[in-house]
């Protein structure tokens, strides 16, 4: 097999074989194009669609299809005549006799349709049976890059930033186009190019020129550019002595700044803001609320774009329970945010843990647009060295019913989903081949949050690795068990935030001496000689009361709560008998063991696949799995040894594996 370095992501268009190849060999390239501008003057988007179709069909058919083959029968017709702008991007792809028609109301719909067609063909679907129609469930499907101007990526595990601020605007790396193709293939339509811990100088004119170059390059792919802003920018770079959102001078400064952006980038997406969180400046520095801050920026942007205000806030001053703070600050502001403000909420109330209950803000702010923030890069799940497919994590949260407004997936429909990107300068973009699946899954779910994780895993596997049925099943099985395995060996039964402080890699439940209480792992597990877990019921922090009664009632009782959230909400005696018949201690130890066993099983299955996968990628994954096997044991053994130092209990013998 040909050496593969992963650069092509899921857009490899690996040659079809046998019948599948014969079936597509009659297809012409995109010769028949109907667009708003007519065939002579195809838009850049239509050009991109044709180009992709040409590359895709040529590669899938081993160079034998496409317009190069005379006498071929069918045409792929791109019929997107009536351009209703980038909001009408739904498409249909249908076989019609020997032809395939891709239809939509905007050029972008045709581009999306081309990617959908190529995906179907890659999956081996017979062209004459293709019949799909699709449109995005949510308006905003965004990546948030935590990339810094110096090239360092906060919590990025795939090398340096892909954005070359040094050479922009003159030099545009080809990677910027391939990046746009990858995003467009999923329907991602917004990119925040810089870290939420933002540097004010990134609002200066020299940077705006760089954004313009990027925005121009991405526009054909339907991607709007957004920028994270530092709230104190009027002081930092504007020469004012305040950043008070109610100060007329400050407001005028932001208005002028927004106008400057729109002069350069007419479809500029807007601002993303992290304020009054982890030391970032914000409106509260002036006694103003999040709504005051957001609305001031919203006025500056006007109906040209969106202000996305993050709900990830916590501070040392709040001593009670970090999990409660965002709800406490934001829910009273429901209904006060301007129409073009979206509040962006992490999936859980703490911080991208291997498992958290859903964020109680979902369902609690019916008069505010809430966006779902996911973390694609795996800050707390073993970085790029551990294999953890995240679609099941996101699906788990999207499926929850907060008690008002339907499921979380429905609550966020008016806004969208944002994912903290895992891209970097690594040849394979994501630091490991399997981490590409998390970028892919995020985009697919943002397009359609009802897609089952397993289907996403399967289609990604076929496009990325192999069409061999047994190999596909093995890989999908590995992916589907991978995240739960991480929960098992890192933070079972609802434990959280036990990673070593600062870098968040490896176990450190013993750390308890850091100046801010909520930086310490011991703050989260609250283990002592008698028991373990954070009492968040009424007798404790009462964070449970932030959930609707229907949920709180179920979770209030340690015997009826979903065991996956047990120690998140309850402090339980080590020796307490559980509904399983085991003691808590026995249950906990068996979870750790199970997690390790799962990783061993994943490594065995992968070893079996050496014939189905090209050697370069097979070896790379094998080596990562070896790291994961060793580190799963490190997590298990260090955690158990530490708990034993508190509870003095022997290792349980013959513990049944958990159900
Ligand atoms: O989880 C924390 C990370 C910070 C990050 C912050 C946030 C960008 O450890 O590195 O800062 O979340 O989401 O703002």
């Amino acid at each position: 097999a040909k050496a593969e370095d992963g650069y092509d992501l899921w857009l490899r268009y690996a040659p079809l074989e046998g019948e599948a190849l014969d079936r597509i060999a009659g297809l012409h390239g995109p010769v028949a194009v109907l667009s708003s501008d007519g065939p002579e003057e195809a838009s850049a988007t239509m050009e991109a669609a044709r180009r992709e179709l040409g590359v895709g069909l040529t590669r899938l058919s081993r160079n034998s299809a496409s317009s190069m083959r005379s006498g071929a029968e069918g045409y792929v017709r791109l019929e997107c005549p009536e351009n209703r702008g980038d909001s009408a991007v739904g498409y249909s792809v249908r076989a019609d006799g020997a032809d395939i028609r891709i239809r939509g109301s905007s050029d972008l719909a045709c581009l999306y349709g081309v990617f959908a067609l190529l995906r179907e063909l890659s999956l081996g679907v017979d062209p004459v049976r293709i019949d799909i129609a699709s449109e995005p469930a949510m308006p905003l499907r965004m990546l948030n890059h935590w990339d810094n101007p110096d090239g360092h990526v906060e919590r990025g595990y795939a090398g340096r930033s892909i954005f070359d601020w040094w050479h922009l605007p003159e030099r545009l790396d080809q990677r910027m186009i391939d990046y746009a193709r990858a995003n467009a293939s999923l329907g991602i339509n917004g990119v925040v190019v810089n870290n939420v811990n933002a540097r004010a100088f990134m609002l200066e004119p020299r940077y705006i020129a760089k954004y313009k170059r990027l925005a121009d390059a991405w526009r054909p792919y339907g991607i709007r550019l957004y920028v994270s802003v530092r709230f104190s920018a009027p002081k930092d770079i504007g020469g004012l002595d305040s950043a008070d959102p109610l100060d007329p001078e400050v407001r005028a400064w932001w208005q002028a700044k927004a106008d400057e952006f729109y002069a350069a980038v007419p479809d500029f997406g807007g601002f993303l803001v992290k304020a009054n969180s982890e030391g970032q400046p914000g409106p509260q520095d002036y006694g103003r609320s999040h709504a005051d801050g957001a609305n001031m920026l919203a006025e500056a942007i006007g109906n040209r774009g969106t202000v996305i205000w993050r709900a990830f806030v916590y501070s040392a001053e709040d001593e009670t329970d970090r999990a409660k703070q965002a709800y406490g600050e934001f829910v009273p502001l429901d209904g006060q945010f301007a129409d073009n403000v979206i509040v962006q909420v992490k999936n859980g109330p703490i911080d991208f843990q291997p498992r958290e209950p859903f964020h109680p803000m979902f369902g609690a702010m019916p008069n505010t647009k809430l966006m779902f923030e996911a973390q694609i890069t795996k800050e707390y799940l073993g970085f790029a060295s551990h294999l953890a497919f995240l679609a099941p994590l996101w699906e788990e949260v999207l499926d929850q019913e907060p008690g008002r407004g339907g499921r979380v997936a429905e609550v966020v429909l008016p806004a969208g989903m944002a994912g903290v990107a895992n891209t970097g300068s690594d040849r394979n973009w994501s630091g490991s081949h399997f981490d590409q699946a998390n970028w892919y899954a995020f985009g697919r779910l943002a397009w359609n949050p009802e897609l089952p994780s397993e289907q996403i895993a399967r289609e990604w596997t076929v496009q990325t690795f192999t069409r061999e049925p047994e190999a596909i099943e093995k890989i999908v099985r590995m992916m589907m068990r991978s995240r739960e395995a991480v929960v098992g060996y890192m933070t079972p039964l609802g434990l959280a935030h036990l990673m070593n402080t600062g870098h968040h890699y490896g176990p450190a439940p013993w750390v308890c001496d850091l100046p801010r209480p909520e930086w310490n792992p011991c703050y989260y597990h609250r283990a002592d000689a008698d028991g373990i877990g954070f009492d968040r019921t009424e007798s404790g922090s009462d964070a449970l009361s932030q959930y609707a009664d229907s949920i709180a009632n179920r979770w209030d009782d340690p015997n009826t709560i979903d065991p996956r959230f047990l120690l998140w909400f309850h402090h339980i005696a080590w020796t307490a008998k559980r509904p399983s018949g085991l003691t808590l201690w026995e249950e906990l130890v068996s979870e750790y063991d199970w997690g390790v066993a799962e990783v061993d099983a994943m490594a065995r299955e992968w070893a079996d696949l050496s014939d189905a996968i090209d050697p370069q990628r097979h070896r790379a994954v094998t080596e990562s799995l070896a790291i994961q096997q060793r580190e799963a044991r490190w997590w298990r053994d260090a955690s158990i040894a530490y708990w034993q130092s508190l509870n003095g209990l022997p290792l349980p013998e013959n513990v049944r594996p958990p159900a």
Side-chain angles (χ1 to χ4, degrees), residues 166-179:
W166 186 255
H167 291 111
L168 281 164
E170 289 84 0
R171 196 154 102 192
L172 184 88
D173 197 293
Q174 173 61 29
R175 263 196 310 200
M176 292 295 92
I177 304 296
D178 292 329
Y179 167 79

Side-chain angles (χ1 to χ4, degrees), residues 583 585-587 589-590 640 644 649-655:
T583 65
W585 174 235
E586 290 168 334
E587 247 183 28
V589 171
S590 64
I640 291 178
Q644 284 183 297
L649 292 169
L651 263 188
E653 277 173 46
N654 298 325
V655 176

Side-chain angles (χ1 to χ4, degrees), residues 68 88 166 198 347 362 465 525 581 583 630:
M68 289 168 283
W166 186 255
N347 59 272
F362 294 121
F465 276 128
H525 62 68
T583 65
R630 173 165 52 77

Side-chain angles (χ1 to χ4, degrees), residues 146 154-155 195-197 274 277-278 280 310 312 314 322 346 350-353 373 375 379-380 420 497 502 504:
W146 286 358
E154 176 148 350
R155 314 305 182 182
N195 192 350
V196 289
N197 294 331
K274 170 177 177 177
S277 167
E278 299 188 323
Q280 295 297 319
R310 293 178 86 230
F312 177 72
Y314 70 95
R322 173 177 166 187
K346 287 188 182 181
I350 297 284
D351 192 12
F352 298 138
Q353 296 302 299
E373 181 176 324
Q375 196 188 42
E379 174 179 355
Y380 296 93
V420 178
H497 219 300
H504 296 158

Side-chain angles (χ1 to χ4, degrees), residues 470-489:
E470 265 176 53
I472 297 168
E473 289 320 306
K474 279 213 168 96
I475 295 171
V476 169
R477 209 160 50 232
M478 281 175 66
M479 292 170 79
M480 291 306 291
R481 73 206 303 180
S482 59
R483 176 267 187 147
E484 205 60 42
V486 173
V487 174
Y489 61 75

